[in-house]
């Protein structure tokens, strides 16, 4: 029998409940924290759910505190799930040396290189452990799960959606790292977690994955919002490369470019309602 997650605290929120949990993860081998928002409709039965993957330096609280998603999620009847961005407490050499690798920078993949491969297993954690755990323990419909995220988490949302299309029925992203093989953030993470052989990186690059698709994996469309005042746009994000890959695969993509908006949560909060509505439509809520 699976041990249920430990409830750390909860708060009434727009007629629903905002909760924060901790559990012992078999995939990570360490305690992991995550947050959940349950809309008021969950009191009557299972509701569709969205997984949100946060970006570099963030944790399981960032989205719930900053994105302003709960009000509309409560109206639509959508649950929200936010995992942490990396293992905590692994105490690996070099884990905290930089802000874009190691702690709070797990890049939502399973590392293959020592010493990271022991605990840095974020893809398996989310897809094979966290989602089965929360959908079994809480009133969520496991057949109606969407995924979205920001920056590193946008990379995670796109790649996990493309690698697990049977698990996720909808996908969107805010300012995602669209081609990590071709930017400093991604090359640093992939080199450290996956090794020097760049052929192994292809399976975790959304642009490459989409380019290899024989048909559109999400015929209902993918939504991406990108701020044109984002200081990371030119060097790190490369949305135009993913746009071209979607065109090649005939994957419907709505890539919206917004003058004046940067990389932060004011930008995310501005367009959050559009993303929730996109997922609500795709999940058949």
């Amino acid at each position: 029998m699976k041990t249920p997650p430990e409830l750390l605290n909860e708060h009434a929120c727009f007629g629903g409940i905002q909760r924060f949990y901790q559990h012992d993860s078999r995939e990570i081998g360490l305690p992991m924290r995550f947050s959940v928002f349950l809309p008021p409709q969950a009191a009557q039965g299972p509701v569709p759910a969205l997984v949100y993957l946060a970006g570099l330096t963030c944790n399981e609280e960032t989205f719930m505190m900053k994105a302003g998603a709960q009000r509309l999620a409560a109206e639509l009847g959508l649950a929200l799930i936010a995992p942490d961005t990396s293992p905590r407490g692994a105490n690996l050499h070099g884990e905290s040396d930089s802000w874009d690798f190691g702690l709070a920078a797990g890049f939502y993949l399973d590392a293959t290189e020592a010493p990271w491969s022991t605990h840095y297993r974020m893809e398996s954690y989310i897809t094979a452990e966290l989602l089965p755990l929360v959908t079994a323990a809480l009133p969520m419909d496991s057949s109606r799960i969407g995924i979205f995220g920001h920056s590193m988490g946008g990379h995670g949302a796109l790649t996990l959606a493309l690698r697990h299309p049977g698990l996720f029925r909808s996908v969107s992203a805010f300012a995602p790292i669209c081609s990590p093989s071709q930017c400093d953030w991604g090359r640093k993470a992939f080199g450290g977690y996956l090794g020097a052989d760049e052929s192994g990186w292809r399976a975790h690059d959304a642009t490459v994955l989409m380019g290899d698709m024989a048909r559109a994996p999400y015929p209902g469309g993918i939504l991406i919002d990108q701020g044109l005042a984002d200081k990371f746009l030119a060097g790190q994000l490369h949305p135009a490369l993913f746009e071209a890959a979607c065109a090649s695969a005939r994957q419907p993509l709505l890539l919206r470019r917004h003058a004046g908006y940067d990389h932060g949560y004011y930008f995310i909060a501005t367009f959050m309602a559009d993303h929730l509505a996109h997922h609500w439509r795709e999940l058949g809520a």
Side-chain angles (χ1 to χ4, degrees), residues 79-116:
L80 305 171
I81 306 164
D84 203 349
T85 52
S86 79
R88 307 276 173 169
N91 299 319
L92 300 177
H93 178 71
E95 187 179 44
S96 301
D97 288 354
S98 59
W99 65 275
D100 55 358
F101 182 80
L103 199 64
F107 268 79
Y108 304 105
L109 51 76
D110 290 353
T112 58
E113 293 293 298
W116 312 99

Side-chain angles (χ1 to χ4, degrees), residues 10-24:
E10 66 178 13
H11 314 272
C13 185
F14 295 109
I17 303 173
Q18 177 64 58
R19 290 176 173 169
F20 296 89
Y21 289 95
Q22 179 172 291
H23 72 117
D24 292 326

Side-chain angles (χ1 to χ4, degrees), residues 123-124 127-128 159-169 218:
E123 178 175 6
S124 290
T127 61
T159 55
L160 294 188
L162 294 175
R163 287 169 59 81
H164 305 272
L167 182 58
F168 300 107
R169 285 180 48 179
Y218 289 92

Side-chain angles (χ1 to χ4, degrees), residues 101 107 109 113 155 180-181 185-196 201-202 204-205:
F101 182 80
F107 268 79
L109 51 76
E113 293 293 298
H155 143 77
S181 298
W185 283 345
R187 294 185 65 82
K188 181 176 182 177
F190 285 4
Y193 295 138
L194 302 175
W201 301 2
R202 295 178 59 85
H204 301 281
D205 186 308

Side-chain angles (χ1 to χ4, degrees), residues 70 77 80 89 156 167 175 195 222 237 245 248 253 260 268:
Q70 291 96 332
L80 305 171
L167 182 58
I222 295 172
L237 304 180
S248 176
L253 170 69
I268 293 170

Side-chain angles (χ1 to χ4, degrees), residues 141-220:
D141 184 347
S142 61
S143 69
R144 293 191 292 166
I145 304 291
I147 189 167
F148 66 150
H150 168 234
S151 194
M152 176 186 72
H155 143 77
L158 294 176
T159 55
L160 294 188
L162 294 175
R163 287 169 59 81
H164 305 272
L167 182 58
F168 300 107
R169 285 180 48 179
S170 59
V171 58
S172 71
F174 298 91
I177 304 172
C178 288
S179 187
S181 298
Q182 299 190 53
C183 74
D184 289 344
W185 283 345
R187 294 185 65 82
K188 181 176 182 177
F190 285 4
Y193 295 138
L194 302 175
D197 182 0
E198 295 186 16
S199 64
W201 301 2
R202 295 178 59 85
H204 301 281
D205 186 308
T207 294
V208 174
L209 288 169
M210 183 60 75
D212 288 343
M213 292 287 172
R215 59 185 179 86
Y218 289 92

Side-chain angles (χ1 to χ4, degrees), residues 9-43:
N9 56 74
E10 66 178 13
H11 314 272
C13 185
F14 295 109
I17 303 173
Q18 177 64 58
R19 290 176 173 169
F20 296 89
Y21 289 95
Q22 179 172 291
H23 72 117
D24 292 326
S25 168
R26 72 167 186 277
E27 291 289 347
I28 301 296
L30 295 165
M32 289 291 290
R33 293 192 177 193
F34 64 93
S35 59
V36 169
F37 172 73
L38 289 174
Q41 295 86 340

